[in-house]
Amino acid sequence: MSLRPTLDFLLYDWLGAERLNQRERFADHNRETFDAVLDTCERIAREKFAPFNRLVDTQEPQFDGEKVILPQATHDARLAYAESGMLSAAQDDDIGGMQLPFLVESAANTFFAKASISIGSNLLTTGNANLLMAHGTELQKQVFALNEFNGRFTGTMCLSEPQAGSSLSDVVTRAVPDGDGHETDPLGPRYRLTGNKMWISSGDHELAENIVHLVLAKIPGADGKPVPGVKGISLFIVPKHLVDTDGRLTGERNDVALAGLNHKLGWRGTTNTLLNFGEGKYPVRGGAGAIGYLVGKPGEGLRCMFHMMNEARIAIGMAATMLGYAGYEASLDYARNRPQGRPMGAAGKDPAQPQVRIIEHADVKRMLLAQKSYSEGALALALYGARLIDEQHTGTTEAADEARLLLEVLTPIIKSWPSEFCLEANSLAIQIHGGYGYTRDFAVEQYWRDNRLNMIHEGTHGIQAMDLLGRKVLMENGRGLQLLAARINATIERAIQVPDLAAHANALGQALQAVGAATKAAWATANPTEALANAVPYMQAFGHTVLAWVWLDVALVAHAAVASPARQGRLAAARYFFHYELPRIGAWLQVVRERDLTCAELPDDAF
């Protein structure tokens, strides 16, 4: 089984990637150049990533007191990725990019996520550089972003702190002006930072010349105290090694020290760190604190950082998707080759008959169909999100604005739905393997461990749910939700004309009405405590409705295709989702509609 035919169908048959070549930005591309990129990434992932997925899981990063030690395979994989040009694939030609549609870049990166999610630090590097391209000065772009795109530097995002976690308003890292003339530093207003940052992925390593940390910190007010709340947060570039205005290392180590490595359940190949800024381990330029350069305006750090956070959330959704897909492939292969049990006939099982492969058992087919519907549906959704990003950047003014708002509404789903249900796919993959699934002799236990992190990565399930119900469906007077409903209804109107899909269309219409009614009921009292008490069940129902829409839209294209096993499989996965999954939204939405406070009101001493 190969991922490529599924990608080709979604890219070309469903999303019409070739039509993007009619736009000026992508005019030099065609199906041949897109396929060449996919071929290259598929090969690199097969040769440099996949063979070492177990190696990086067992040979975790080690800190010898001075530097982080990683397997040679990690160095080789990152170098191959950087040399492929994928770090700058969607960037302008004149800065060394390929001007690829983000849709094609996202599709190409699926090969790496599926081969070994924890080898590289590439998603954060690209997101870091993209943030600087959007919010940095021209020199910050030249010195930091472009050197991340070309592979010389890597990047991180430093948000969380040991005492604050996801509560960013409680960060206490401080930034104070670095003496006279700090405002005129060519790399940006110069500050000294002190504080600690926790859970920083790829926070220290020797994979590149430099690491560009993007750090949230608070600048003290006139009274010398940090401004409370998120409005007091600013954003700073804090390089591990100081550089000059040409991007050359000056030989000065910045005061950023690795305090220790976190050893996680999964993603073990990626260094995860506690970093100390300005503790004095590496005194720099005769002053106290790590040198950092302000990005954007003071107090607007979180607004700038959301550029990277939202990109990272979509990337995490894709990572979860591909881990689910990898588990599906592994369990499908196992089910096709593992003999066990005998079919049930009218007289029961005949022990004289030979064993059958377990894929011939109905319950195993159920588990495989569930995995297929979760992982392929999530892949389609993530690629649809990537297509919206292309529309936002290259579409007409009206189309770009609609794409922006649709992406606002869909981002919590793109991040969280795969993180929950592709994790469930991994659990089913273990189940299909039986007792062997729990052993390290088979890859599925690692896929589950790697995927379990994604419900927490880049904002927990609960945070995404409150963002969806508390902000996204309400923003701009609910226009984003209205736009999404209009697109879902357009698919329903097309599918209702196809007898084989009409029942699915009717079911989706009912689900959409139920989500709309629950949204209104949740906010009927305008009390956030009541409305958000069941935000996660709301997001689960909302996500299932969106995935049903995606499957129906995909099914319309599949239904019109020539007969083939792939066509039959896609239509069966859509049917499974409508028959087994979509009906689940009723229980989720009931507690939302009723503003059930069972959980919210229970006092802690009752647990």
Side-chain angles (χ1 to χ4, degrees), residues 394-564:
T394 63
T396 64
T397 301
E398 181 180 357
D401 187 59
E402 286 192 3
R404 170 193 64 82
L405 198 49
L406 277 169
L407 199 61
E408 289 276 11
V409 174
L410 288 175
T411 294
I413 302 302
I414 295 173
K415 188 275 177 187
S416 285
W417 195 93
S419 299
E420 179 173 0
F421 291 97
C422 289
L423 176 67
E424 174 61 19
N426 290 134
S427 180
L428 292 171
I430 292 174
Q431 191 72 14
I432 287 173
H433 280 74
Y436 291 107
Y438 300 112
T439 71
R440 292 194 176 187
D441 297 321
F442 292 84
V444 288
E445 62 87 25
Q446 183 183 343
Y447 295 144
W448 187 93
R449 285 188 290 104
D450 284 341
N451 217 349
R452 185 59 187 83
L453 276 64
N454 291 320
M455 288 180 71
I456 296 174
H457 272 156
E458 307 307 335
T460 64
H461 229 41
I463 288 173
Q464 302 298 331
M466 287 190 288
D467 183 44
L468 177 66
L469 180 55
R471 194 167 73 90
K472 295 300 180 61
V473 299
L474 303 178
M475 66 189 303
E476 299 185 24
N477 296 315
R479 190 166 72 93
L481 187 57
Q482 293 165 12
L483 285 172
L484 179 60
R487 297 205 176 192
I488 293 174
N489 279 321
T491 298
I492 291 171
E493 290 175 7
R494 290 164 52 217
I496 206 88
Q497 308 299 321
V498 181
D500 289 345
L501 302 178
H504 297 343
N506 284 324
L508 179 56
Q510 293 169 11
L512 181 61
Q513 289 179 346
V515 169
T519 307
K520 292 178 181 178
W523 286 104
T525 63
N527 182 336
T529 299
E530 293 182 357
L532 300 178
N534 296 291
V536 167
Y538 175 84
M539 183 172 68
Q540 290 170 314
F542 194 108
H544 260 51
T545 302
V546 167
L547 265 291
W549 163 53
V550 167
W551 267 118
L552 186 60
D553 210 65
V554 167
L556 279 165
V557 178
H559 189 273
V562 297
S564 69

Side-chain angles (χ1 to χ4, degrees), residues 182-204:
H182 78 279
E183 292 183 338
T184 59
D185 194 299
L187 292 177
R190 190 179 65 252
Y191 286 74
R192 293 279 184 160
L193 278 72
T194 54
N196 315 103
K197 294 293 180 177
M198 183 62 139
W199 312 119
I200 309 306
S201 295
S202 303
D204 200 18

Side-chain angles (χ1 to χ4, degrees), residues 29 33-34 36-45 47-49 75-91 96-100 104-105 108-109 111-112 122 126 148-152:
H29 288 290
T33 63
F34 291 167
V37 171
L38 295 175
D39 289 342
T40 298
C41 291
E42 188 174 20
R43 176 184 57 78
I44 294 172
E47 295 175 356
K48 299 293 186 180
F49 284 69
H75 292 260
D76 295 341
R78 188 197 173 274
L79 179 61
Y81 187 88
E83 290 180 342
S84 75
M86 285 302 294
L87 285 166
S88 58
Q91 299 303 312
M98 303 185 211
Q99 285 189 201
L100 273 180
V104 178
E105 178 186 351
N109 277 323
F111 294 112
F112 302 105
N122 305 309
T126 302
E148 291 181 88
F149 286 137
N150 67 27
R152 282 187 61 211

Side-chain angles (χ1 to χ4, degrees), residues 63-134:
F63 180 41
D64 67 1
E66 292 295 328
K67 63 181 182 295
V68 173
I69 301 170
L70 293 166
Q72 184 61 41
T74 301
H75 292 260
D76 295 341
R78 188 197 173 274
L79 179 61
Y81 187 88
E83 290 180 342
S84 75
M86 285 302 294
L87 285 166
S88 58
Q91 299 303 312
D92 294 347
D93 289 334
D94 59 8
I95 64 168
M98 303 185 211
Q99 285 189 201
L100 273 180
F102 186 68
L103 172 61
V104 178
E105 178 186 351
S106 296
N109 277 323
T110 62
F111 294 112
F112 302 105
K114 176 173 167 288
S116 182
I117 193 61
S118 71
I119 281 184
S121 57
N122 305 309
L123 72 88
L124 289 177
T125 296
T126 302
N128 179 307
N130 285 339
L131 182 153
L132 293 175
M133 294 299 290

Side-chain angles (χ1 to χ4, degrees), residues 340-369:
Q340 186 172 316
R342 292 166 178 81
M344 181 72 71
K349 296 181 180 179
D350 182 357
Q353 294 296 315
Q355 290 182 318
V356 297
R357 298 172 303 148
I358 62 172
I359 197 170
E360 296 181 45
H361 298 301
D363 193 54
V364 173
K365 291 182 180 180
R366 176 190 64 81
M367 291 187 282
L368 288 169
L369 263 178

